[in-house]
Structure formats: structure tokens, C-alpha cells
Amino acid sequence: MPIDYDKLMNWPFPELEHSYTERDTMLYALGVGCGHDPLDAADLRHVYEDGLQALPTMAVVLGYPGFWLKDPETGVDWRKVLHGEQGLVLHRPLPPSGTVIGRSRVTEIVDKGEGKGALLFSERDVVDKASGEVLCTVTSTTFMRGEGGFGGPSGPTPAPHAMPNGDPELVLDLPTLPQAALIYRLSGDTNPLHADPKVARAVGFDRPILHGLATYGVAGRAVLRACCGNDPARLKRLDVRFSAPVYPGETIRTEIWLDGETVSFRCRAVERDTVILNNGLAVIAG
């Protein structure tokens, strides 16, 4: 049965209040690989309470409405849903603890045609409850296989960020732990695909894969370290397109091109020489 465009466009997301502690901030950072070298001072500021700073990409787990497309009322076959793109605009640094309000909405659904699926665009403002200030805006593109042909708009769709020609100017390798997915899931994404070998095999993987948003967090760490002097206040935007899965324990290589405040990047799994994140765009403050 075709999905109902108007119903999804007006999906009734409740405002979600989310309180988090310094422990949660440190746990998120551990989940995206901080502390692999416990003597690294740049990482220590994200996993140790003395002068603790939140990683900017922790925004993706704050005020998160959960896997709402699994609700039968959406009419979507959640088993065919893929995370296509992720973006983040940071208006101010995230506090290491606090209470936020997540305000989610669907912004558009694009019908790619019968047999070609559909794209669902959504965004979420993360608002500091105490001040009312918007801390950041999280954006996501979801590819819904098999849901095309419902009669919705056929476009336009945003073009991916164009990657520069030539060799990258900076390259940074960051390892992931074999247990990385088991740590990251404690920040809120408990999809068994990332923990249960039986579930992973059932959908075609030989073992559990790392969360896409954990990979996104590793990419954010690389940009923060290579381009921002590891100062979270300097990262203003981070957009990526997911292109292949990552297995826990693999090394993620981030290749970076600089153009003033604009940073282009992509990531690959070194052991398989496979591009896993592409068309990466970051904006940094001087």
C-alpha cells in the first residue's frame, strides 16, 4: 500500500525532553573512539571530567525521537530503510551536561518513482531548556526502498557536496575498537544489527557493523583534530553521505581538502580500501 505523503509530512512528533550528564558525554566520546590512546591530551578533554568538553557530533543523540519509521502507522517497511545522509549545523558549543528539548519534523518526501524508492528529509532542533536557545540543528536523509510511486513530488533534491580533484592535503587515521559498536549503542541506538551476530547475518553481513552515526562521530573527531585545533567551538557544520558500512576494529582514514573556512573530506576503511563516507563538507570558524 502506498505511503501517505500528507500523513508523514505532518507526523506528530512530541517535543522530547532529554537530560544528560557528564558521564553520558564521556560515554559518547568513548563510543566514537576517544581514549584509544589514554595519554592523548586532545582526546582526554572529551573523556575526563577535569575541563570536560562535549564532542560536537554528540548532537545526533540529543533529543532523538528514536526509530519512528518502525511505527506501523507510518506505512513504511522499516526493514528497507537506509540512512543516506547526515548533517549538523552548530549554533553554539554543546554543554557537557544539561537538559535539552528535541523538536523534530519532516521537511520533504521525494518520490523517485515506482521501483526506485523515496527520499525522506527530516530535521531536529536541539534547544537548551534553561535558556531557550537553539544549540544545533540536526538533518537527515532517509532512503526508503520500495516506497516510490505514491504520487508525491519528484524533486528537486539537494546535490551532494562536490569533492575537489587531486590528492588530499591532510590525511588522518583513527582506529576503532572491536567493541566500538557495543559501546556506542549505550548512547541510545540499540538496533541489534550492531550487537547480535545472528541479526547481522540475517541481513547479509558476516558480523555486526558499526553504527553509521558512530562513523560520523569518528569523522567529526578527525575534522576537529586536523582543522579546528580540537576546539569544539570552531566547528560550525558537518555533512556527509554514507556510502558503505564499517566493521568495528577497522581503521578509518579521513582525507581532507582545505579551502578557507570550507573543508571537504571523505573517509575510507583502510583495511578494505573502501570509501565509507563521501561528499563530506565541514565549515569551520577561523
Side-chain angles (χ1 to χ4, degrees), residues 210-233:
L210 189 61
H211 305 67
L213 287 179
T215 306
Y216 176 79
V218 176
R221 283 181 57 217
V223 172
L224 198 66
R225 180 181 288 254
C227 307
C228 303
N230 216 50
D231 179 0

Side-chain angles (χ1 to χ4, degrees), residues 92-210:
R92 48 190 49 80
L94 301 176
S97 62
T99 299
V100 297
I101 306 296
R103 296 173 178 156
S104 300
R105 56 199 167 271
V106 175
T107 56
E108 187 55 281
I109 307 169
V110 173
D111 189 343
K112 303 301 288 184
E114 187 71 34
K116 295 184 179 180
L119 295 171
L120 184 146
F121 299 89
S122 61
E123 61 184 37
R124 177 173 83 255
D125 288 331
V126 179
V127 180
D128 180 69
K129 183 181 179 182
S131 68
E133 295 181 323
V134 179
L135 298 174
C136 58
T137 302
V138 183
T139 61
S140 182
T141 304
T142 302
F143 180 51
M144 304 184 295
R145 294 175 292 168
E147 304 291 357
F150 60 87
S154 59
T157 56
H161 174 64
M163 297 298 294
N165 295 319
D167 294 332
E169 298 169 54
L170 300 171
V171 176
L172 181 62
D173 288 357
L174 292 174
T176 66
L177 293 171
Q179 65 268 38
L182 296 175
I183 299 172
Y184 185 84
R185 71 192 305 269
L186 300 179
S187 289
D189 187 341
T190 56
N191 186 333
L193 172 63
H194 308 294
D196 190 332
K198 296 189 297 295
V199 173
R201 287 193 293 269
V203 295
F205 298 106
D206 61 1
R207 60 190 188 277
I209 61 173
L210 189 61

